[in-house]
Amino acid sequence: KLRSFEKTPCDDRQHINKDQAEGVASSKKEIILHNDEAVLRGEKAELMGNRQALEKEAHDMKTQDNRAHQNNLKQLCRICGVSFKTDYYKRTHPVHGPVDDETLWLLRKKEKKATSWPDLIAKVFKIDVRGDVDTIHPTQFCHNCWSIMHRKFSNTLCEVYFPRNSTMEWQPHSPNCDVCHTTTRGVKRKSQPPSVQHGKRVKTIVERARLNRGVKNQAQINKKNVMKEIVSCKNTHLSTKLLAVDYPVDFIKSISCQICDHILADPVETTCRHLFCRTCILKCIKVMGSYCPSCWYPCFPTDLVTPVKSFLNILDSLGIRCPIKECDEEILYGKYGQHISSHKEMKERELYSHINKGGRPRQHLLSLTRRAQKHRLRELKRQVKAFAEKEEGGDIKAVCMTLFLLALRAKNEHRQADELEAIMQGRGSGLHPAVCLAIRVNTFLSCSQYHKMYRTVKAVTGRQIFQPLHALRTAEKALLPGYHPFEWKPPLKNVSTNTEVGIIDGLSGLPLSIDDYPVDTIAKRFRYDAALVCALKDMEEEILEGMKAKNLDDYLNGPFTVVVKESCDGMGDVSEKHGSGPAVPEKAVRFSFTVMNIAIAHGNESKRIFEEVKPNSELCCKPLCLMLADESDHETLTAILSPLIAEREAMKNSELLLEMGGILRTFRFVFRGTGYDEKLVREVEGLEASGSTYICTLCDATRLEASQNLVFHSITRSHAENLERYEIWRSNPYHESVDELRDRVKGVSAKPFIETVPSIDALHCDIGNAAEFYRIFQMEIGELYKNPDASKEERKRWQLTLDKHLRKKMNLKPMMRMTGNFARKLMSKETVEAVCELIKCEERHEPLKELMDLYLKMKPVWRSSCPGKECPELLCQYSYNSQRFAELLSTKFKYRYEGKITNYFHKTLAHVPEIIERDGSIGAWASEGNESGNKLFRRFRKMNARQSKC
């Protein structure tokens, strides 16, 4: 603040002005008194005359006053309260509504979610404008505040000013309203002419500013020295003089702290893009306030961020000289901490090395007796005890072990530190038995191989890292069925109430006599209900999470409806390579189940809380029974699977009571036998073999009917109907001939003993159709449509030609038996292109390509787990594609399909849409998970793949 150098008026002039002012004031007072008396008389007359007119006039005056107040509010900024009448603040922005295009572009660039002015104002100025009232709060804000918001999000400096009084507090309109008073005063000030005295004062200020510019520079230097004294980091941070290379001055300035001028140590960046050492700026902010020491832009500790990684890499790669006098080594700045720590260790050794003043040499601490160790460490022990009692409740052991742990970590001896930490946490240094079990299973080690590894590791290391086999067996009990208690209501018929049932013999409970069929097999299984309980307990977290996701209460106890997919398949050739096992059949059968989905009845609707994402994975396919038997051996199959089926039938009419999440909950089960290939379906449902006249396991069509009507069929067969037809076949109540009786029962020739759902197995459907296309390729190569009476030798030659060409072009090796992988590679457009090279007649190329194209459009519909979501367009086109496919078979490939058709072609063309409409999917209910489990079984039997018997 500067005083004016102009002379003050003389004292006489001041007295004269004072007398004149007193005279004018007295005359004004008299005039005001006379006017007041007149007004009072007038008001009294009006009150006497017309009271309503007075009230109306008062209301009008109040309304006008409010309008004037609102007009004044429109001239003020909502945030800082500045008037818009100045030139700088003329540009305004609305408080409410979406942001402008420039701000929206900036927010998108910075990936911010806010898109409206209220959100931005609340974020930058901490003002909630959503509850504003037009009669109290202004509806616009100034361009200065807009610039501040832009600066906040762009991290760039702008020449903007924000008032010291920060944000405004707005009050309702009153007689002494600050808004109206301020606005009026601002208008008057604007209309006053500029005085000569004011101009002279400004001129004087400018002149003094020029004179004091040198003083200002000196003040900045003093300010920097003050900041250096505040941080006092001379002994901790490195000087730029230690740089090994003579870098340019500007570069050195960019890598040095702007407070202490040392090389940046733990650098941080402010919102105004200045760089400082972390400790330096934190100390400055604490002492001098929340401002950037370089530009005095507001800066808080929470605004500090680490610079970009590329800058840190450059900083760490700088070469510096070691500041220790005896050391002339040049090191990287990033490795300085490690280098200086080696000097500190050497210094500490020198400082604390015991000076032996004669006598025998001083012995190492570990070589002393226990009494001597106590004597030497008595002072340290006293200090540790005092610290433990003061800070850790007297736990001296924890303090000592933590010190030891930190010492090991400092020396980079992390392995010993991890072992010590495990001991401190009560885990021991060895692996958990469950982890050892997982290692053994995933590496396919037998018990003897694992035991050999356990003994070797223990002998070499001297520690028991792996756990013994008995510990693994104990851990395995918690993972296998028979561990969790449960109850059935009502109790299961002909099933024991004991729940502690693990692996049981598949032949247990089978009454044997001399006259019975000899059961030459080995079978192991779980009890069906115990296996289901184990699966549900494994899924406990998913079930509770699913209830939370559906906003259901955790304490709901059901009933839960569990849908279970059953799969059964035979494994050909599971003989051991070294042949040291018992004399049993070289084939096996695996029966498994998969929990597909779980729903809970809530009110009048059913909410699905769990659905298997990968229904064809071996991880969710739980094995139930494994037997070394041939799937074609009907008697052995029924003998071993009958107890399972009895348990399954009993569970249909009962409810499971199982504790889950600390609450006893109720579960019901729905069993769907869909994971069977056609051979096994015919076996368990009592139908004739796949070469039968009755081509389909879903409908009653014969092969001739199916070839004449390729598309239009519906599902008619069921397990109950098959049982009725078997009774007719067995008793022949109408005394018919064999052919008549066979026609009546539609191919049922044995008693059905497993209930299956009429469906298509996607995997075997794919394999069967690929095998048929493989035959079509051979016939097209040999032009069978010209020569239908080709010999076996010619047909064999066609196959060899095709195999050789596919191996050359598609890298497909010939297979004795069609596999899933071979089928997937064979069914492609590239394969058709390769086959067409062998077909001489170009007219035959187009039908074959179209046939493959239609098949590839139909295939995803039955292969996908959820066709409605994964391929909705192909699902809609399926009926058209199947009819066109059937048309091609009956015209262009009539030589092959006149009066006959394959089983899987019939199912593919006739039944897929109906099954998907009923179940929602075909691929999800396939037997692929069981097939994956078969691979694991072969691997455990020391077999890498199925052995071909050619």
Side-chain angles (χ1 to χ4, degrees), residues 694-708:
Y694 297 95
I695 186 175
C696 188
T697 57
L698 289 86
C699 66
D700 297 337
T702 62
R703 199 171 295 275
L704 181 62
E705 292 169 353
S707 65
Q708 293 170 349

Side-chain angles (χ1 to χ4, degrees), residues 62-86:
K62 187 175 181 181
T63 305
Q64 289 177 4
D65 197 18
N66 288 337
R67 284 177 185 168
H69 176 71
Q70 289 186 16
N71 290 333
N72 292 336
L73 283 176
K74 290 178 182 177
Q75 302 301 320
L76 299 177
C77 173
R78 168 66 178 88
I79 299 169
C80 63
V82 74
S83 175
F84 296 147
K85 294 186 178 181
T86 57

